[in-house]
Amino acid sequence: MITGKCDCGKVSFSVPAVRKTVTACHCSQCRRASGHIWASTQASDVTDLTFANDEGLTWYASSDFAKRGFCKFCGSSLFYRLNTEPGIAIAAGCIDTPTGLQMGKHIFVADKGDYYEIKDGLEQLDTH
């Protein structure tokens, strides 16, 4: 079982399994929402998430096709979900260690910030 939480603990969850790779999104919206890049793994279905505490969980419709879940108390960015798909992206940084995860690829690199370079040798896609 994988567990995770926000910084203040007012959102805590478990999920039986996630994708073992982390995708780093460099789009401007993810950078604004997270403060840098959005690094996440994926659960195959949002219904796989079980919340031990969801007191702080709130959702923001960040576009007409997706929403972001975050803690309204501490501001931790936790989830990203496309409205038409069953899966849910889970911020890699909120998962309790050891995660067993590894970086997989970078997406939306054409939109990345001008203050850093990507030099890890992983796949880089201009879109997703």
Side-chain angles (χ1 to χ4, degrees):
M1 189 65 69
I2 289 107
T3 59
K5 61 185 173 290
C6 67
D7 195 38
C8 72
K10 291 189 178 178
V11 179
S12 57
F13 64 91
S14 62
V15 63
V18 294
R19 184 185 63 216
K20 294 298 180 188
T21 57
V22 172
T23 297
C25 183
H26 299 267
C27 79
S28 59
Q29 189 178 54
C30 282
R31 288 186 290 108
R32 281 191 303 273
S34 69
H36 183 43
I37 62 172
W38 168 255
S40 66
T41 186
Q42 180 93 9
S44 59
D45 198 299
V46 68
T47 61
D48 291 341
L49 279 174
T50 302
F51 289 94
N53 187 357
D54 65 356
E55 176 186 3
L57 183 60
T58 193
W59 292 91
Y60 164 65
S62 57
S63 67
D64 58 350
F65 58 85
K67 58 189 164 218
R68 295 173 186 272
F70 65 97
C71 177
K72 65 184 174 185
F73 294 103
C74 67
S76 293
S77 183
L78 303 166
F79 307 109
Y80 177 84
R81 181 150 189 244
L82 294 171
N83 297 334
T84 59
E85 294 186 13
I88 186 166
I90 302 171
C94 73
I95 296 175
D96 296 328
T97 57
T99 66
L101 302 174
Q102 61 182 340
M103 286 299 299
K105 66 181 175 183
H106 299 270
I107 61 174
F108 291 101
V109 297
D111 197 27
K112 78 170 200 58
D114 62 357
Y115 56 91
Y116 64 95
E117 293 185 38
I118 305 169
K119 295 185 174 188
D120 58 14
L122 296 174
E123 180 180 21
Q124 295 184 29
L125 304 171
D126 284 341
T127 59
H128 63 288

